[in-house]
Amino acid sequence: MDKNYIKIFGGNSIEAKRIELALIENNISPILKDEKESARLAGFGSPLPDLVEIYINKDEEEKALAIIAELNS
């Protein structure tokens, strides 16, 4: 991953999709890393079947974390 990006979430795909949509609605472009889907496309199984990570540009970290905190409250 590019050094300008930071991981702000790691968890199940349902929560990741909810966070992704909230970020997009607030003009933040997240990058999702889905281990299950990557393994499936490569023809392998994944030891962590429901792990999705969300990365964003470091410049948007404060705004993104505030959005996530609001979703979780």
Side-chain angles (χ1 to χ4, degrees):
M1 184 62 59
D2 187 328
K3 65 181 179 178
N4 293 322
Y5 287 85
I6 186 167
K7 177 180 162 182
I8 59 162
F9 176 79
N12 71 55
S13 59
I14 295 170
E15 285 182 89
K17 192 63 174 174
R18 181 175 169 227
I19 292 170
E20 176 191 24
L21 293 174
L23 293 173
I24 291 170
E25 287 174 358
N26 286 278
N27 299 315
I28 297 175
S29 299
I31 296 175
L32 272 66
K33 182 179 176 187
D34 185 342
E35 293 293 338
K36 179 180 177 182
E37 185 63 12
S38 295
R40 185 190 68 80
L41 291 172
F44 302 105
S46 173
L48 303 171
D50 207 24
L51 178 63
V52 178
E53 297 175 340
I54 298 178
Y55 293 84
I56 55 148
N57 192 297
K58 285 182 179 180
D59 297 339
E60 301 172 317
E61 179 182 12
E62 188 175 321
K63 182 178 177 183
L65 292 176
I67 291 167
I68 293 171
E70 186 176 314
L71 287 174
N72 292 330
S73 63

XYZ file of all heavy atoms in Angstrom:
570
model
N 0.850 -1.176 0.000
C 0.000 0.000 0.000
C 0.892 1.234 0.000
O 1.917 1.277 0.666
C -0.898 -0.035 1.233
C -1.921 1.077 1.333
S -3.195 1.210 0.063
C -4.016 -0.344 0.155
N 0.484 2.225 -0.731
C 1.194 3.503 -0.828
C 1.354 4.116 0.559
O 0.459 4.041 1.394
C 0.376 4.433 -1.728
C 1.068 5.731 -2.048
O 1.833 6.234 -1.205
O 0.838 6.258 -3.139
N 2.498 4.745 0.818
C 2.757 5.311 2.141
C 1.870 6.505 2.460
O 1.827 6.967 3.594
C 4.225 5.702 2.282
C 4.650 6.816 1.361
C 6.106 7.139 1.536
C 6.487 8.240 0.563
N 7.874 8.617 0.715
N 1.136 7.024 1.477
C 0.215 8.140 1.709
C -1.139 7.679 2.219
O -2.026 8.494 2.449
C 0.027 8.966 0.436
C 1.293 9.689 0.050
O 2.020 10.178 0.913
N 1.572 9.745 -1.231
N -1.317 6.378 2.355
C -2.591 5.830 2.807
C -2.446 5.220 4.189
O -1.387 4.732 4.556
C -3.120 4.783 1.826
C -3.642 5.417 0.563
C -2.798 5.728 -0.480
C -4.989 5.738 0.442
C -3.270 6.347 -1.632
C -5.469 6.357 -0.704
C -4.608 6.653 -1.727
O -5.089 7.259 -2.857
N -3.539 5.254 4.938
C -3.549 4.739 6.295
C -4.787 3.862 6.494
O -5.858 4.170 5.969
C -3.511 5.892 7.314
C -3.367 5.368 8.729
C -4.701 6.795 7.186
C -3.003 6.436 9.740
N -4.605 2.786 7.245
C -5.726 1.897 7.547
C -6.563 2.525 8.657
O -6.048 2.893 9.704
C -5.193 0.539 7.999
C -6.268 -0.446 8.401
C -5.621 -1.751 8.841
C -6.588 -2.586 9.634
N -5.962 -3.822 10.114
N -7.875 2.634 8.399
C -8.762 3.214 9.419
C -9.793 2.216 9.922
O -10.502 2.506 10.870
C -9.476 4.470 8.904
C -10.318 4.162 7.679
C -8.487 5.581 8.644
C -11.352 5.201 7.387
N -9.878 1.046 9.292
C -10.860 0.057 9.714
C -10.409 -1.327 9.302
O -9.838 -1.519 8.236
C -12.227 0.344 9.082
C -13.264 -0.700 9.400
C -13.916 -0.701 10.615
C -13.552 -1.704 8.498
C -14.849 -1.682 10.931
C -14.487 -2.682 8.789
C -15.134 -2.670 10.008
N -10.720 -2.283 10.147
C -10.532 -3.693 9.843
C -11.641 -4.462 10.531
O -11.811 -4.341 11.743
N -12.438 -5.175 9.768
C -13.551 -5.899 10.364
C -14.360 -6.627 9.324
O -13.891 -6.897 8.224
N -15.615 -6.906 9.672
C -16.445 -7.698 8.757
C -16.944 -6.863 7.578
O -16.933 -5.636 7.609
C -17.593 -8.387 9.506
C -18.655 -7.430 9.961
O -19.214 -6.677 9.174
N -18.960 -7.451 11.255
N -17.378 -7.561 6.553
C -17.744 -6.908 5.294
C -18.991 -6.035 5.413
O -19.116 -5.039 4.706
C -17.934 -7.947 4.196
O -18.937 -8.877 4.549
N -19.897 -6.381 6.318
C -21.116 -5.581 6.481
C -20.778 -4.206 7.045
O -21.221 -3.174 6.527
C -22.136 -6.319 7.366
C -22.594 -7.591 6.656
C -23.320 -5.415 7.703
C -23.409 -8.526 7.507
N -19.983 -4.194 8.109
C -19.561 -2.914 8.691
C -18.714 -2.124 7.703
O -18.839 -0.898 7.602
C -18.752 -3.144 9.964
C -19.567 -3.555 11.153
C -18.686 -3.710 12.377
O -18.509 -2.700 13.083
O -18.175 -4.811 12.584
N -17.842 -2.815 6.982
C -16.970 -2.148 6.016
C -17.791 -1.453 4.931
O -17.486 -0.321 4.545
C -16.008 -3.146 5.389
N -18.834 -2.105 4.447
C -19.673 -1.516 3.404
C -20.392 -0.278 3.933
O -20.492 0.737 3.235
C -20.690 -2.551 2.900
C -21.388 -2.142 1.653
C -20.389 -1.991 0.521
C -21.073 -1.711 -0.785
N -20.128 -1.430 -1.858
N -20.861 -0.355 5.170
C -21.536 0.791 5.802
C -20.583 1.986 5.914
O -20.944 3.118 5.584
C -22.029 0.358 7.173
C -22.767 1.401 7.940
C -23.299 0.792 9.239
N -23.796 1.827 10.100
C -23.515 1.939 11.382
N -22.761 1.045 11.967
N -23.998 2.909 12.094
N -19.361 1.715 6.346
C -18.365 2.779 6.480
C -17.970 3.309 5.106
O -17.859 4.523 4.914
C -17.145 2.269 7.259
C -17.545 2.013 8.715
C -15.993 3.256 7.181
C -16.511 1.279 9.528
N -17.780 2.416 4.155
C -17.419 2.831 2.799
C -18.456 3.803 2.236
O -18.101 4.856 1.692
C -17.302 1.614 1.881
C -17.028 1.987 0.434
C -17.166 0.834 -0.525
O -17.893 -0.143 -0.220
O -16.554 0.904 -1.596
N -19.729 3.473 2.354
C -20.781 4.334 1.826
C -20.808 5.693 2.518
O -20.991 6.729 1.876
C -22.137 3.647 1.934
C -22.313 2.409 1.053
C -23.633 1.720 1.359
C -22.208 2.766 -0.411
N -20.610 5.706 3.844
C -20.588 6.965 4.590
C -19.411 7.828 4.156
O -19.551 9.054 4.019
C -20.537 6.695 6.088
N -18.267 7.214 3.929
C -17.098 7.972 3.480
C -17.321 8.557 2.092
O -17.021 9.735 1.842
C -15.848 7.083 3.489
C -15.362 6.623 4.864
C -14.230 5.614 4.710
C -14.935 7.793 5.725
N -17.864 7.754 1.206
C -18.130 8.225 -0.163
C -19.120 9.390 -0.152
O -18.943 10.369 -0.885
C -18.623 7.067 -1.053
C -17.478 6.078 -1.293
C -19.184 7.584 -2.376
C -17.886 4.775 -1.952
N -20.153 9.298 0.693
C -21.130 10.385 0.808
C -20.486 11.689 1.291
O -21.004 12.764 1.040
C -22.253 9.999 1.773
C -23.203 8.975 1.225
C -24.221 8.505 2.250
O -24.178 8.947 3.413
O -25.067 7.674 1.874
N -19.345 11.566 1.970
C -18.637 12.735 2.485
C -17.385 13.054 1.664
O -16.438 13.664 2.166
C -18.266 12.499 3.955
C -19.475 12.606 4.843
O -19.881 13.699 5.206
N -20.076 11.476 5.192
N -17.398 12.640 0.414
C -16.333 12.947 -0.547
C -14.957 12.429 -0.147
O -13.946 13.071 -0.391
C -16.274 14.452 -0.822
C -17.557 14.965 -1.415
O -18.119 14.347 -2.319
N -18.048 16.071 -0.905
N -14.935 11.267 0.493
C -13.685 10.586 0.802
C -13.670 9.303 -0.019
O -14.649 8.561 -0.028
C -13.574 10.265 2.302
C -13.548 11.563 3.113
C -12.345 9.412 2.587
C -13.561 11.362 4.614
N -12.570 9.060 -0.700
C -12.463 7.876 -1.560
C -11.694 6.770 -0.839
O -10.461 6.770 -0.828
C -11.746 8.239 -2.862
O -12.479 9.211 -3.563
N -12.414 5.819 -0.244
C -11.739 4.730 0.464
C -11.250 3.649 -0.489
O -11.770 3.484 -1.596
C -12.845 4.179 1.360
C -14.092 4.434 0.602
C -13.869 5.726 -0.129
N -10.247 2.915 -0.043
C -9.763 1.737 -0.757
C -10.038 0.544 0.143
O -9.628 0.532 1.310
C -8.260 1.841 -1.064
C -8.013 3.015 -2.003
C -7.742 0.534 -1.652
C -6.553 3.284 -2.268
N -10.782 -0.424 -0.372
C -11.109 -1.615 0.399
C -10.179 -2.755 0.012
O -9.937 -2.982 -1.175
C -12.549 -2.045 0.162
C -13.591 -1.396 1.071
C -13.694 0.081 0.819
C -14.903 -2.081 0.943
N -9.676 -3.450 1.013
C -8.850 -4.632 0.810
C -9.618 -5.799 1.405
O -9.767 -5.901 2.612
C -7.506 -4.466 1.499
C -6.573 -5.621 1.300
C -5.241 -5.366 1.986
C -4.356 -6.585 1.867
N -3.140 -6.419 2.674
N -10.142 -6.654 0.530
C -10.984 -7.779 0.936
C -10.196 -9.072 0.759
O -10.027 -9.551 -0.361
C -12.253 -7.791 0.095
C -13.260 -8.840 0.518
O -12.873 -9.785 1.229
O -14.431 -8.704 0.136
N -9.698 -9.620 1.869
C -8.882 -10.842 1.813
C -9.649 -12.023 1.223
O -9.102 -12.821 0.482
C -8.360 -11.198 3.202
C -7.370 -10.204 3.760
C -6.055 -10.162 3.002
O -5.707 -11.138 2.313
O -5.377 -9.124 3.089
N -10.926 -12.135 1.569
C -11.734 -13.253 1.072
C -11.857 -13.193 -0.448
O -11.673 -14.193 -1.141
C -13.118 -13.215 1.724
C -14.037 -14.322 1.266
C -15.382 -14.220 1.950
C -16.354 -15.267 1.478
N -17.664 -15.124 2.117
N -12.161 -12.022 -0.961
C -12.340 -11.865 -2.402
C -11.015 -12.039 -3.135
O -10.957 -12.663 -4.192
C -12.956 -10.496 -2.722
C -13.291 -10.282 -4.171
C -14.352 -11.230 -4.724
O -15.021 -11.946 -3.966
O -14.511 -11.257 -5.962
N -9.943 -11.529 -2.579
C -8.625 -11.696 -3.199
C -8.245 -13.167 -3.279
O -7.736 -13.631 -4.295
C -7.566 -10.926 -2.407
O -7.803 -9.552 -2.477
N -8.486 -13.900 -2.203
C -8.171 -15.321 -2.181
C -9.045 -16.086 -3.165
O -8.582 -16.992 -3.859
C -8.351 -15.877 -0.769
N -10.319 -15.731 -3.242
C -11.234 -16.409 -4.162
C -10.783 -16.213 -5.604
O -10.747 -17.150 -6.402
C -12.654 -15.877 -3.991
C -13.681 -16.628 -4.851
C -15.024 -15.936 -4.856
N -15.020 -14.665 -5.538
C -15.078 -14.520 -6.875
N -15.102 -15.571 -7.668
N -15.098 -13.320 -7.408
N -10.425 -14.982 -5.939
C -10.000 -14.695 -7.309
C -8.696 -15.407 -7.663
O -8.471 -15.753 -8.817
C -9.857 -13.190 -7.509
C -11.167 -12.407 -7.485
C -10.898 -10.912 -7.497
C -12.060 -12.792 -8.661
N -7.855 -15.632 -6.663
C -6.588 -16.330 -6.892
C -6.753 -17.848 -6.863
O -5.826 -18.578 -7.175
C -5.570 -15.889 -5.851
N -7.929 -18.323 -6.443
C -8.175 -19.754 -6.400
C -7.789 -20.401 -5.090
O -7.616 -21.609 -5.009
N -7.654 -19.611 -4.053
C -7.276 -20.126 -2.729
C -8.372 -19.825 -1.730
O -9.224 -18.993 -1.947
C -5.982 -19.465 -2.240
C -4.825 -19.660 -3.167
C -4.381 -18.623 -3.960
C -4.184 -20.883 -3.255
C -3.312 -18.793 -4.820
C -3.115 -21.066 -4.109
C -2.678 -20.019 -4.899
N -8.287 -20.471 -0.588
C -9.171 -20.145 0.524
C -8.500 -19.098 1.384
O -7.298 -18.898 1.318
N -9.279 -18.435 2.203
C -8.724 -17.413 3.080
C -8.842 -17.855 4.534
O -9.904 -18.283 4.968
C -9.483 -16.103 2.884
O -9.075 -15.147 3.835
N -7.768 -17.720 5.308
C -7.860 -18.074 6.728
C -8.733 -17.089 7.518
O -9.229 -17.412 8.571
C -6.413 -18.025 7.197
C -5.741 -17.106 6.244
C -6.454 -17.279 4.938
N -8.922 -15.916 6.991
C -9.759 -14.890 7.624
C -10.887 -14.543 6.660
O -10.816 -13.570 5.927
C -8.927 -13.642 7.937
C -7.704 -13.879 8.819
C -6.845 -12.640 8.879
C -8.136 -14.309 10.204
N -11.943 -15.334 6.649
C -12.948 -15.233 5.604
C -13.751 -13.940 5.569
O -14.336 -13.619 4.569
C -13.867 -16.419 5.877
C -13.693 -16.693 7.324
C -12.263 -16.345 7.627
N -13.786 -13.192 6.647
C -14.646 -12.011 6.645
C -13.881 -10.744 7.020
O -14.435 -9.834 7.601
C -15.809 -12.232 7.623
C -17.032 -11.427 7.226
O -17.164 -11.087 6.043
O -17.854 -11.148 8.112
N -12.589 -10.689 6.699
C -11.786 -9.537 7.050
C -11.699 -8.579 5.872
O -11.226 -8.941 4.795
C -10.377 -9.939 7.481
C -9.447 -8.778 7.815
C -9.981 -7.986 9.020
C -8.055 -9.259 8.092
N -12.184 -7.365 6.090
C -12.085 -6.305 5.099
C -11.397 -5.129 5.778
O -11.740 -4.756 6.895
C -13.477 -5.878 4.584
C -13.357 -4.739 3.592
C -14.193 -7.060 3.953
N -10.406 -4.557 5.099
C -9.710 -3.394 5.618
C -10.038 -2.193 4.745
O -10.196 -2.327 3.534
C -8.198 -3.636 5.619
C -7.777 -4.762 6.529
C -6.290 -5.078 6.447
O -5.638 -4.707 5.448
O -5.790 -5.700 7.389
N -10.134 -1.033 5.379
C -10.393 0.200 4.653
C -9.203 1.134 4.850
O -8.771 1.381 5.975
C -11.679 0.897 5.133
C -12.888 -0.006 4.891
C -11.848 2.242 4.424
C -14.196 0.576 5.380
N -8.711 1.642 3.735
C -7.604 2.593 3.731
C -8.078 3.905 3.121
O -8.918 3.907 2.218
C -6.433 2.060 2.905
C -5.770 0.848 3.500
C -6.279 -0.427 3.277
C -4.634 0.980 4.287
C -5.675 -1.548 3.828
C -4.027 -0.141 4.838
C -4.545 -1.389 4.599
O -3.946 -2.497 5.149
N -7.530 5.005 3.630
C -7.819 6.317 3.057
C -6.532 7.122 2.995
O -5.542 6.776 3.636
C -8.868 7.095 3.899
C -8.398 7.198 5.348
C -10.227 6.449 3.830
C -8.831 8.443 6.021
N -6.572 8.218 2.270
C -5.434 9.114 2.212
C -5.206 9.716 3.585
O -6.153 10.081 4.280
C -5.704 10.213 1.180
C -4.464 10.999 0.866
O -3.895 11.661 1.733
N -4.047 10.933 -0.381
N -3.960 9.824 4.007
C -3.628 10.352 5.337
C -4.217 11.741 5.576
O -4.558 12.081 6.700
C -2.115 10.407 5.522
C -1.481 9.073 5.752
C 0.010 9.216 5.974
C 0.638 7.868 6.227
N 2.087 7.975 6.445
N -4.341 12.538 4.513
C -4.876 13.886 4.649
C -6.334 13.898 5.099
O -6.818 14.909 5.606
C -4.765 14.651 3.327
C -3.323 14.843 2.885
O -2.417 14.764 3.744
O -3.093 15.070 1.685
N -7.044 12.799 4.895
C -8.465 12.719 5.232
C -8.736 11.935 6.510
O -9.884 11.676 6.856
C -9.227 12.083 4.061
C -9.079 12.861 2.771
C -9.662 12.139 1.576
O -9.446 10.909 1.449
O -10.331 12.808 0.782
N -7.684 11.579 7.232
C -7.823 10.714 8.404
C -8.744 11.298 9.474
O -9.652 10.617 9.957
C -6.453 10.429 9.025
C -6.532 9.556 10.257
C -5.181 9.314 10.893
O -4.193 9.982 10.537
O -5.123 8.438 11.767
N -8.540 12.534 9.848
C -9.340 13.134 10.923
C -10.831 13.153 10.568
O -11.680 12.773 11.374
C -8.851 14.556 11.204
C -9.488 15.187 12.412
C -8.884 16.544 12.728
O -7.666 16.722 12.597
O -9.667 17.445 13.100
N -11.129 13.563 9.348
C -12.527 13.620 8.902
C -13.141 12.212 8.860
O -14.265 12.003 9.305
C -12.591 14.269 7.518
C -13.984 14.432 6.979
C -13.962 15.128 5.618
C -15.344 15.231 5.023
N -15.316 15.840 3.677
N -12.384 11.240 8.358
C -12.884 9.867 8.241
C -13.132 9.252 9.612
O -14.161 8.598 9.818
C -11.900 9.017 7.446
N -12.231 9.466 10.554
C -12.414 8.913 11.894
C -13.618 9.536 12.592
O -14.326 8.864 13.340
C -11.141 9.083 12.722
C -9.951 8.243 12.257
C -8.718 8.569 13.077
C -10.268 6.764 12.298
N -13.881 10.810 12.332
C -15.064 11.468 12.900
C -16.338 10.855 12.327
O -17.321 10.641 13.049
C -15.018 12.963 12.630
N -16.330 10.530 11.050
C -17.497 9.906 10.409
C -17.734 8.520 11.002
O -18.869 8.153 11.317
C -17.280 9.827 8.871
C -17.304 11.229 8.280
C -18.330 8.933 8.210
C -16.791 11.317 6.863
N -16.673 7.755 11.182
C -16.796 6.408 11.769
C -17.303 6.493 13.203
O -18.164 5.716 13.600
C -15.457 5.650 11.686
C -15.119 5.355 10.218
C -15.515 4.357 12.485
C -13.738 4.822 10.004
N -16.782 7.439 13.961
C -17.229 7.612 15.346
C -18.715 7.948 15.390
O -19.450 7.458 16.251
C -16.418 8.701 16.033
N -19.173 8.779 14.460
C -20.581 9.149 14.398
C -21.451 7.940 14.058
O -22.536 7.757 14.615
C -20.787 10.249 13.358
C -22.175 10.799 13.333
C -22.320 11.951 12.351
O -21.454 12.838 12.348
O -23.288 11.928 11.570
N -20.964 7.089 13.168
C -21.719 5.871 12.817
C -21.839 4.934 14.002
O -22.847 4.234 14.150
C -21.021 5.133 11.670
C -21.114 5.739 10.278
C -20.247 4.960 9.313
C -22.551 5.782 9.799
N -20.814 4.885 14.817
C -20.796 3.964 15.956
C -21.482 4.487 17.199
O -21.625 3.759 18.176
C -19.344 3.580 16.296
C -18.722 2.734 15.219
O -19.407 1.986 14.538
N -17.429 2.841 15.062
N -21.912 5.745 17.159
C -22.572 6.299 18.367
C -24.059 6.073 18.363
O -24.679 5.674 17.463
C -22.286 7.784 18.479
O -22.819 8.501 17.385
